[in-house]
Amino acid sequence: MLNGEKLIRRPLRWGMVGGGRTGQVGYKHRTGALRDNTAYRLVCGAFDIDPARGKDFGVNIGVDADRCYADYKTLIAGEAKRADGVEVVTVATPNFTHYEITRACLEAGLHVICEKPLFFTVKDCREIEELAARRGLVVGVTYGFTGHPLVHQMAAMVKKGILGDIRIVDLEYTHGFNSGDDVGASEAVKWRTNPKTAGPTFVLGDIGTHLYYLSEIVLPHLKIEKLLCDRNAFIPTRAPLEDHATVLMHYDNGARGRLWVSSVDAGNMGSQRYRFVGSKASVSWSDAHPDQLIYEIQGEPPQILHHGMPYLEKESLACDRMGALHSEGLGDSWSNIYLWIAEAIDARNRGDEAFLKTHHYPGIAAGTEGVRWLENCVRSADAGSAWVDFQ
């Protein structure tokens, strides 16, 4: 069980680009990074496209005024002059800025933690992966619920063969918050539905990549051979981007998968649902009931497994924070993700390659794989929702 004790030598000096007062994800990042004050210390930021508003916000969350910068370029330049300058920067900005900011930070010798989807193309991902490797730096990617202990319980059960051979993968993440048109919508909605700022997808990249990466954690041994993507813009002004999509997947072991994402599921307040079915049993988990894992053995009554209980696998208990009597939620999951990335950065700084070979964290390979999945989805959809080989 995690309890906030020191797991790295000292807190990393951390900064943010984006994530200010009007952003939707900034507080989630700070909740994750600062839950354990032994892992990160927020020292600087370029929090807003409006410098005055960004500075006001930064001061209000405890950052020194002279370390609240107008943009990422002045942040990098200003911090480089300090003996106590920033070491790792979170990029919590719209998709179209991820590549340029990440690249600039790496070239300045800074580790990076970036929102997803990472970049627009696999080519960009490969370039950044090579740059990070040359500079000996870590690039982490934030996939929200993948730090939840019951996610790692499912992964452990699959690894041990408790479910048998995996046959069916069913993934779903829908909500109804974009059911109406975008007239009067917030800037956070508008950039997500504009191809110039969002990239080649809307809901597939915005929420579908969460599903895909979590399934990779649970099923690391399964690879997609081919897929079919059917996507649609129910609000026509969002085309060619989609606000609804279904992806069918064939895996290399013969398993079949279905992934459904939608932001026009009217009345749904938003939830992720995962079901992995094997030849012996199945497991199901949803963030709507995050403390419970449904375990169903063929021919037996269903079981409800609760987080934090000693009957769970060690992989699950190792990342539990609250204990069985209290709820584990999104903030706890983000805390685990940030902690795992901090441990990777600390190991890289120390040159501990042996630790990095066995340490789990969502790194640039995970971000690249998410972009690769998106490219294949778009290729299928643009071909008339045709089956395509996974490339």
Side-chain angles (χ1 to χ4, degrees):
M1 181 173 178
L2 294 169
N3 61 9
E5 289 188 80
K6 182 169 68 174
L7 293 178
I8 62 176
R9 295 169 299 168
R10 59 169 177 78
L12 299 169
R13 297 186 296 274
W14 174 56
M16 294 190 73
V17 178
R21 183 173 292 141
T22 61
Q24 292 185 325
V25 299
Y27 188 66
K28 298 181 182 71
H29 284 276
R30 289 186 291 277
T31 296
L34 303 176
R35 179 72 63 87
D36 301 320
N37 64 2
T38 55
Y40 297 86
R41 183 166 60 90
L42 182 61
V43 299
C44 67
F47 298 105
D48 201 303
I49 195 170
D50 180 326
R53 186 171 61 189
K55 183 174 184 177
D56 182 65
F57 174 79
V59 170
N60 277 335
I61 61 172
V63 178
D64 291 343
D66 64 346
R67 299 182 80 173
C68 295
Y69 298 95
D71 53 44
Y72 76 90
K73 293 179 181 178
T74 54
L75 182 151
I76 291 171
E79 291 296 305
K81 298 174 183 177
R82 303 180 62 107
D84 62 348
V86 70
E87 298 171 283
V88 52
V89 173
T90 284
V91 181
T93 56
N95 298 353
F96 74 103
T97 65
H98 290 178
Y99 176 83
E100 65 179 63
I101 299 173
T102 298
R103 187 175 192 91
C105 288
L106 292 174
E107 289 175 340
L110 303 175
H111 302 281
V112 177
I113 301 169
C114 189
E115 264 292 335
K116 36 54 45 199
L118 191 55
F119 309 128
F120 284 177
T121 68
V122 170
K123 179 178 179 292
D124 287 346
C125 293
R126 300 294 188 206
E127 289 179 6
I128 294 299
E129 189 170 8
E130 291 172 4
L131 174 59
R134 288 198 306 272
R135 301 301 299 267
L137 297 167
V138 166
V139 177
V141 186
T142 49
Y143 290 105
F145 263 112
T146 55
H148 196 282
L150 290 183
V151 171
H152 295 272
Q153 173 68 20
M154 292 190 289
M157 294 173 76
V158 169
K159 183 177 181 180
K160 292 188 173 185
I162 293 172
L163 306 186
D165 297 327
I166 298 300
R167 294 173 172 172
I168 301 168
V169 180
D170 197 40
L171 314 170
E172 182 178 315
Y173 190 175
T174 70
H175 63 78
F177 284 94
N178 300 120
S179 295
D181 62 35
D182 295 335
V183 175
S186 68
E187 290 303 315
V189 171
K190 290 179 179 177
W191 76 252
R192 283 177 167 84
T193 58
N194 181 345
K196 293 181 180 179
T197 50
T201 69
F202 171 26
V203 292
L204 283 164
D206 198 42
I207 57 181
T209 49
H210 284 291
L211 297 172
Y212 180 58
Y213 178 60
L214 192 147
S215 73
E216 287 190 293
I217 290 178
V218 177
L219 308 170
H221 61 296
L222 295 193
K223 304 301 177 187
I224 297 174
E225 286 192 335
K226 58 183 179 178
L227 61 73
L228 181 154
C229 176
D230 177 43
R231 64 173 181 165
N232 185 59
F234 280 101
I235 305 302
T237 55
R238 294 176 184 152
L241 305 188
E242 78 292 335
D243 49 29
H244 174 94
T246 304
V247 184
L248 302 179
M249 296 168 286
H250 288 184
Y251 294 87
D252 57 359
N253 74 330
R256 297 296 190 258
R258 179 204 70 129
L259 181 148
W260 174 33
V261 287
S262 181
S263 67
V264 292
D265 184 9
N268 189 336
M269 291 298 293
S271 60
Q272 304 175 41
R273 301 179 184 89
Y274 301 84
R275 182 172 173 82
F276 303 98
V277 181
S279 55
K280 299 177 182 177
S282 66
V283 287
S284 304
W285 180 80
S286 170
D287 65 358
H289 303 282
D291 295 331
Q292 298 180 348
L293 180 65
I294 309 302
Y295 174 39
E296 297 172 292
I297 304 172
Q298 179 59 32
E300 298 183 16
Q303 300 178 41
I304 298 177
L305 308 184
H306 200 282
H307 87 88
M309 292 298 291
Y311 52 69
L312 297 178
E313 303 295 335
K314 60 180 175 54
E315 293 88 343
S316 177
L317 296 173
C319 56
D320 197 279
R321 288 175 174 268
M322 294 291 105
L325 289 176
H326 307 288
S327 295
E328 292 265 352
L330 182 61
D332 304 293
S333 178
W334 275 77
S335 298
N336 286 342
I337 292 167
Y338 261 92
L339 177 60
W340 295 333
I341 295 172
E343 289 181 293
I345 292 171
D346 180 67
R348 181 58 54 82
N349 289 344
R350 292 184 288 104
D352 190 347
E353 295 301 318
F355 177 85
L356 287 169
K357 287 179 180 178
T358 59
H359 180 60
H360 165 81
Y361 73 98
I364 191 165
T368 300
E369 183 63 18
V371 175
R372 186 163 79 102
W373 179 76
L374 291 174
E375 284 190 348
N376 279 274
C377 287
V378 171
R379 188 161 57 89
S380 167
D382 289 351
S385 300
W387 283 101
V388 296
D389 291 334
F390 196 72
Q391 301 175 357

